[in-house]
């Protein structure tokens, strides 16, 4: 039941972000959909393992954390940094499992999934704040520009 509630909340957040979000919010929609798809592929063959390090989910969490970290580097928003931290927390669960193989499987499961419950409200809030900035300022830059040419090319070369 909790999985169905989480998926409903996540789909609500993803739909709202895809509909009303700016580019960073929509990129996060793509990252989340990719993770949901990969997660469903992982579970289609077997049951998740919490008694030992779950290498498939470690790989999935590395992919999600890397993608979200890259989004945080380039997005002209604060919320992707929070999302990146939320994606790093499951990696700590895997590291904890590697360091302490006697860890209770319930603790490992909780450490892996608990932070994901914060992503839907974060994405809804981020999209709402984007809409607020659009109304207030008329625009809301999506990306940081790290490089600007000092002498742009001219027609003469």
């Amino acid at each position: 039941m909790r999985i169905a509630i989480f998926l409903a909340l996540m789909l609500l957040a993803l739909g709202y972000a895809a509909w009303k979000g700016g580019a960073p919010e929509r990129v996060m929609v793509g990252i989340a959909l990719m993770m949901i798809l990969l997660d469903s592929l992982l579970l289609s063959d077997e049951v998740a393992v919490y008694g030992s390090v779950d290498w498939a989910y470690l790989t999935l969490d590395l992919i999600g954390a890397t993608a979200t970290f890259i989004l945080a580097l380039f997005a002209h928003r604060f919320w992707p940094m929070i999302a990146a931290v939320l994606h790093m927390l499951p990696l700590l669960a895997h590291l904890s499992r590697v360091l302490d193989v006697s860890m209770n499987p319930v603790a490992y499961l909780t450490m892996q999934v608990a932070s994901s419950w914060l992503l839907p409200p974060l994405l809804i809030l981020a999209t709402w704040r984007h809409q607020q900035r659009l109304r207030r300022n008329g625009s809301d830059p999506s990306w940081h520009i790290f490089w600007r040419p000092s002498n742009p090319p001219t027609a003469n070369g």
Side-chain angles (χ1 to χ4, degrees), residues 19-153:
W19 179 42
K20 291 286 191 176
E25 291 80 18
R26 290 180 180 158
V27 167
M28 189 66 227
V29 168
I31 293 169
L33 287 174
M34 173 195 63
M35 292 191 67
I36 290 169
L37 176 68
L38 291 174
D39 180 68
S40 67
L41 291 174
L42 285 174
L43 284 178
S44 67
D45 289 342
E46 59 187 71
V47 176
V49 177
Y50 298 104
S52 61
V53 175
D54 191 331
W55 295 102
Y57 276 100
L58 172 59
T59 303
L60 176 63
D61 291 335
L62 276 170
I63 291 167
T66 302
T68 309
F69 180 74
I70 291 169
L71 173 62
L73 285 176
F74 293 101
H76 194 266
R77 309 270 199 278
F78 180 75
W79 71 264
M81 289 184 269
I82 298 169
V85 169
L86 292 176
H87 277 99
M88 296 291 179
L89 292 175
L91 295 178
L92 291 176
H94 298 297
L95 178 63
S96 297
R97 173 50 95 191
V98 167
L99 296 175
D100 182 10
V101 293
S102 66
M103 174 191 289
N104 187 318
V106 174
Y108 184 40
L109 164 68
T110 303
M111 290 174 69
Q112 263 188 290
V113 301
S115 63
S116 61
W117 281 85
L118 299 174
L119 191 58
L122 176 65
L123 191 54
I124 290 169
L125 180 63
T127 303
W128 180 77
R129 292 282 299 134
H130 167 69
Q131 287 297 311
Q132 295 289 316
R133 287 187 297 273
L134 282 177
R135 274 189 226 97
R136 185 178 56 240
N137 304 329
S139 69
D140 188 22
S142 293
W143 308 109
H144 288 292
I145 299 173
F146 294 110
W147 177 78
R148 291 194 176 127
S150 55
N151 296 320

